[in-house]
Every structure is written in structure tokens, then in C-alpha cells.
Amino acid sequence: MIIGTNLPNIPWEERPVGCTDPIWRYSANPIVGRHDIPSANSIFNSAVIAKDGEFVGVFRSDNKAMEQQLFLGRSKDAIHWEIEHEVLRLYCEKTGECVGLANGYDPRVCFIEDRYYVTWCSPFEGSYGPTIGVAYSYDFKTFYRLPDAYLPYNRNGVLFPRKVNGKYMMFSRPSDNGHTPFGEMFLSESPDMIHWGCHHHVMSPGGWAWTKVGAGPIPIETDEGWLLIFHGVGTTCNGMIYSIGGALLDKDEPWKIIARCKPFLLHPETTYECVGDVPNVCFPCATLTDAATGRIAIYYGAADTVVALAFAQVDELTDYIRRNAIQ
Ligand code: BMA
């Protein structure tokens, strides 16, 4: 059971007849194409959230000079998106001056208390990164930049939607400045969204994700604990494969794993997941959930080129994770 708000208008499609998988793809994928804004070479690994009965998002687009940049988007149905053509600007909360463009990649969006936070991989200039950039907005128009959460190098900074034990919580994956051939997932605490510490180890690579693991969407609170959807990576003779995994984490000590699913939940197999700038990548960055029905819509980047959508039912998914947990 999801602990959260009712969002009856999130995208939904029933599980296809005959499908027994815990997650199933939207039949009209991809939902965002690689050239959906004029500057784009690709649009992928993007995060969406509900706002005022409609939906907003932060989209990663790599332009035709292969610069990684973030753009705001809006949608009435969370499937058809109007993405701005200008890169998101970041402002100083004290002076109100623009402090630069949101350069970077793999954004996540989280609403906590009274505002929307964006976390992303902030690259080489400014952050000496990549490390985790943080900004917030009350209206999803003007975003104020906070100090980077961690020292370089770090990726996959993913916030919890509420404080746990009175602290903000964020997953991250310390890394190097390339295509990290290693990766452990950690959880850090903060009293103020600025100072991050009390680092807890959460998860190591293993099984099908033997190379690295990183948090995906904002974790979903359920009556059984936190439902974590993550990306896991295996390395083959032809390069890395990014698949989607699932785990249940303790409600009060979310660095403790209750159950980690042994099989992957979704693995690159469609053309749009296997053909693109980086073949064989499913990279989840967001979910929309409806507490009343237990529906989950999962947004993931496919082949580092387009945005795709998949669905799950919360009780079926947590049950699947438990039944197939690594012993
Ligand atoms: C990671 C990040 C992701 C990307 C993935 C696969 O290191 O750059 O944005 O989806 O590699 O290329």
C-alpha cells in the first residue's frame, strides 16, 4: 500500500494479457523523442512530478554539441510534454541574480514540505564534478541553487520525500569522473539540505548488477517500508548494460535492506532501449504514484536517447521483490 497522495490522473495502462512481469512497458513508448526540442540530439533520463492537478518535469537533453543540459517541461497528462527551448537558469537565493545555466545530467525532482528540489549530476565546470547539484523552487519557475551536496565525484543524488528521524535523507553513489567501473550506494543525512553527513552504506553491486548500483526515482513510501527502484549495471564484452532493479528498505532506518530482488525488474530489450546513442540502457529517474489504486508510473531514459514509461502495481511489485529476494 502506498503512503502518499491520491493522483487519479497519472498515466496508466493495464498489464498486457499474458504478461507476468512485475513491470510492463507503455505500448506507445517512447513518450519523448530525441528531437522534441530544436537544440536536442537526445532527451532522456528525466524527472517528472505532479503539480496543481497537472505535471511538471526537469528534462535532460544533450544538444548537438553534446553539452548536457536541463530543461523545464509541462504536461496535462504526463505523457505529452511541452519542453522549454531555453536551458533552465539557476538563481542565487540571497541576491536573486542568475548564477548560471543548469548544466548537467540525470535530474531527480522531489517535493519536500513546501518546495520542489532538483538534484542532478553537476559536471566539470563550477562543481569540479561530477557531483550532486541541488536547487529548489516554490513555483517550478525560479530555481535557487544551494551548495553542492558532496565533494567530487558523486552521482545519482536522490532525496527522500520527507524527513526521516528529523533529517533530510539523500542516496548517492561516490564515483570517479568517467564511466565509473565501480559503484556502491550510500545514504546521507542532513539537518538543513546543505550539510550532508552520517553516511550509511546501503547496497553493493551484485548478481545481475555486478558492476554498480545507483538509486533511481525518489523512493516510494509503503506500509512495508521504502520501495526503492534503482539502476544496476553489468559489464559484458560489448560494454555496460543498465537494467532496473527493486528493493524494500526499512521505514525508520532506510539504509537497511529488507528485501533485494534477485531478478531485474526491467532489462533493455525493445528497439528504443537497445538502439540509440548508448545501446542497452534503461535508466529510471522518476515515478508518479496514486495511493488510492496503488498504481505506479515509472519514467526511464532509454538508450541515452529518449524517455520511456512503464507501469507497476505497488502490492504486486513489493510482493514480487519479497518472493524473489536474495537470501
Ligand atoms: C551514466 C550516466 C547516465 C547514462 C549512463 C549510460 O554514467 O552518464 O546518464 O545513462 O551512464 O550511458
Side-chain angles (χ1 to χ4, degrees):
M1 198 176 79
I2 291 168
I3 300 173
T5 47
N6 297 342
L7 284 177
N9 59 339
I10 66 170
W12 184 252
E13 212 171 59
E14 293 298 334
R15 170 188 266 108
V17 175
C19 168
T20 53
D21 297 330
I23 289 182
W24 59 97
R25 294 169 178 82
Y26 179 45
S27 59
N29 272 344
I31 58 163
V32 179
R34 66 183 301 166
H35 297 308
D36 279 5
I37 58 173
S39 61
N41 166 63
S42 52
I43 307 174
F44 57 110
N45 299 6
S46 299
V48 308
I49 196 165
K51 182 176 185 296
D52 305 330
E54 298 186 353
F55 302 92
V56 290
V58 177
F59 290 80
R60 168 181 176 176
S61 175
D62 293 4
N63 66 22
K64 291 167 188 164
M66 294 308 268
E67 293 165 324
Q68 303 156 335
Q69 297 169 322
L70 306 183
F71 296 78
L72 294 186
R74 278 161 213 291
S75 175
K76 289 197 189 322
D77 61 7
I79 292 176
H80 302 92
W81 289 90
E82 271 178 40
I83 302 172
E84 291 183 0
H85 295 184
E86 299 297 321
V87 182
L88 172 62
R89 288 176 180 277
L90 300 172
Y91 292 86
C92 168
E93 57 179 346
K94 293 200 180 67
T95 65
E97 284 170 52
C98 179
V99 292
L101 301 177
N103 294 313
Y105 55 100
D106 300 354
R108 314 299 205 276
V109 178
C110 189
F111 186 81
I112 314 177
E113 293 162 353
D114 60 353
R115 62 191 86 175
Y116 300 89
Y117 288 93
V118 180
T119 53
W120 73 99
C121 276
S122 185
F124 312 98
E125 74 276 14
S127 293
Y128 304 91
T131 187
I132 306 304
V134 187
Y136 71 85
S137 175
Y138 295 108
D139 56 8
F140 223 85
K141 289 183 182 139
T142 309
F143 282 83
Y144 298 100
R145 187 162 194 174
L146 293 173
D148 291 340
Y150 308 107
L151 291 169
Y153 302 102
N154 209 315
R155 289 190 171 103
N156 298 300
V158 176
L159 288 163
F160 277 59
R162 66 168 174 84
K163 287 179 175 170
V164 179
N165 304 317
K167 298 282 172 56
Y168 296 105
M169 297 268 168
M170 197 193 315
F171 292 113
S172 73
R173 188 186 67 206
S175 63
D176 60 17
N177 61 355
H179 286 281
T180 319
F182 60 90
E184 306 271 338
M185 199 191 300
F186 286 84
L187 184 53
S188 307
E189 305 181 8
S190 174
D192 55 8
M193 286 292 294
I194 292 174
H195 303 89
W196 292 93
C198 296
H199 312 295
H200 305 270
H201 179 262
V202 181
M203 194 185 278
S204 292
W208 58 268
W210 67 87
T211 303
K212 50 185 170 176
V213 285
I218 305 306
I220 299 166
E221 188 166 12
T222 76
D223 58 337
E224 299 181 67
W226 295 96
L227 171 57
L228 172 68
I229 295 171
F230 61 93
H231 69 265
V233 182
T235 307
T236 75
C237 60
N238 280 326
M240 293 179 178
I241 302 181
Y242 283 65
S243 309
I244 300 180
L248 272 171
L249 307 177
D250 185 84
K251 198 175 183 58
D252 301 314
E253 296 178 309
W255 50 91
K256 293 188 178 160
I257 298 174
I258 300 171
R260 175 175 173 178
C261 192
K262 189 172 180 190
F264 51 67
L265 303 177
L266 195 91
H267 182 74
E269 64 176 62
T270 64
T271 304
Y272 54 88
E273 293 161 349
C274 299
V275 178
D277 276 9
V278 184
N280 308 322
V281 178
C282 294
F283 195 98
C285 286
T287 61
L288 295 171
T289 60
D290 177 33
T293 57
R295 293 174 173 178
I296 304 175
I298 302 167
Y299 291 76
Y300 65 102
D304 282 11
T305 304
V306 295
V307 178
L309 183 56
F311 303 106
Q313 232 291 333
V314 71
D315 295 331
E316 290 173 4
L317 186 53
T318 54
D319 186 52
Y320 183 87
I321 291 170
R322 280 183 185 283
R323 277 191 291 110
N324 293 284
I326 297 170
Q327 297 303 319

